[in-house]
Amino acid sequence: MTDASGGPAATVLLIEDEPQIRRFLRSALAAGPLTLIEAGTGREGLAQAAGRKPDVVLLDLGLPDLDGLDVTRQLREWSPVPIIVISARGREQDKIDALDAGADDYLTKPFSIGELQARIRVALRHAAARATDTGDPVYEAHGLRVDLAKREVTRDGAMVHLTPTEYRLLTALVKHAGRVLTHRQLLREVWGPGAQEQSHYLRVYVNQLRQKLEADATRPQLLKTEPGVGYRFAEG
């Protein structure tokens, strides 16, 4: 199968034990330029991931043999493949645990097929960008320009002066634009492993970044909050 541009279709691995969910997604995704592989257990999913090298993994957490978090951790030991969790577990802590384990995104059942397709497209774009990245990129969105090579940040053409900590936080978010990063992930990356429980650091610095980068800090378009979970930087 090929996509609309004539290139090879993306391969999606669905790790889901509920037959009705697999039937629904098989039918819904068949209309798009995707090749679907299915696995009903965590171990089968890991074997399929190793043998078929999918472009995206859709992963249920409630599998009969392995918990989805364990599947995520095992995949992350050797593969950067984007992982989108699709689960009936909707608590904030479930989302945090999945993202901390290495998942890229999280959808709570029931969800619309349109939203799932959009999340898959985002995951594929990010994977393609990582594969073709030959250096420090330039990120642009909503009038903001971040040149990682020059370490320059401009807003509508005007230079924005950031403190070293503000800049580290901004670059952590920009490098994963479109993806939710948990409080713990950001604290670990920006302040180090000893600060993972100091969530007040994030509130202070996120507010400072919004004041400097957003057209209206009270209605942020760049730096989005995922309540109770973390932050997501808008895509360009």
Side-chain angles (χ1 to χ4, degrees):
M1 183 185 297
T2 59
D3 64 17
S5 66
T11 299
V12 177
L13 170 59
L14 171 63
I15 308 177
E16 167 65 69
D17 67 316
E18 295 185 38
Q20 63 272 30
I21 298 294
R22 292 208 304 270
R23 284 195 300 269
F24 166 69
L25 292 177
R26 188 186 309 139
S27 173
L29 296 178
L34 300 171
T35 297
L36 187 65
I37 306 168
E38 300 176 34
T41 67
R43 290 186 177 87
E44 182 186 358
L46 289 168
Q48 291 275 27
R52 302 290 293 274
K53 300 296 190 296
D55 299 294
V56 179
V57 172
L58 304 180
L59 174 65
D60 181 33
L61 295 182
L63 299 169
D65 57 340
L66 296 173
D67 187 84
L69 296 180
D70 293 328
V71 175
T72 300
R73 294 187 187 100
Q74 290 187 47
L75 274 173
R76 279 292 169 261
E77 290 177 0
W78 56 270
S79 174
V81 63
I83 300 171
I84 302 174
V85 169
I86 51 172
S87 177
R89 303 179 191 174
R91 297 183 307 124
E92 288 178 356
Q93 191 58 49
D94 294 321
K95 297 179 183 180
I96 291 169
D97 290 343
L99 294 165
D100 278 342
D104 295 85
D105 209 343
Y106 195 109
L107 274 175
T108 303
K109 299 175 183 175
F111 49 80
S112 73
I113 193 63
E115 183 175 12
L116 176 61
Q117 289 171 330
R119 301 291 182 94
I120 291 173
R121 289 194 296 270
V122 168
L124 289 171
R125 285 200 298 272
H126 290 171
R130 287 197 299 268
T132 58
D133 183 22
T134 58
D136 291 323
V138 174
Y139 174 86
E140 295 184 77
H142 301 282
L144 178 72
R145 188 176 192 274
V146 183
D147 188 324
L148 296 177
K150 296 180 179 179
R151 297 177 63 88
E152 290 181 353
V153 179
T154 58
R155 171 81 196 180
D156 297 326
M159 192 69 69
V160 178
H161 298 285
L162 300 178
T163 68
T165 301
E166 290 170 347
Y167 182 78
R168 287 198 303 272
L169 177 57
L170 176 63
T171 56
L173 289 160
V174 161
K175 288 176 180 178
H176 301 284
R179 174 185 170 186
V180 176
L181 295 179
T182 66
H183 298 133
R184 181 168 296 188
Q185 287 171 324
L186 286 167
L187 286 165
R188 183 172 60 241
E189 184 164 344
V190 178
W191 284 274
Q196 292 183 33
E197 303 304 323
Q198 307 298 324
S199 59
H200 63 281
Y201 290 174
L202 273 178
R203 288 193 297 271
V204 171
Y205 280 92
V206 166
N207 182 63
Q208 289 175 188
L209 280 178
R210 283 174 170 161
Q211 295 293 331
K212 293 183 177 183
L213 303 179
E214 299 281 2
D216 181 354
T218 64
R219 302 177 65 183
Q221 298 299 307
L222 291 164
L223 207 149
K224 303 286 190 176
T225 300
E226 185 76 17
V229 178
Y231 298 95
R232 182 198 302 265
F233 216 83
E235 280 202 291

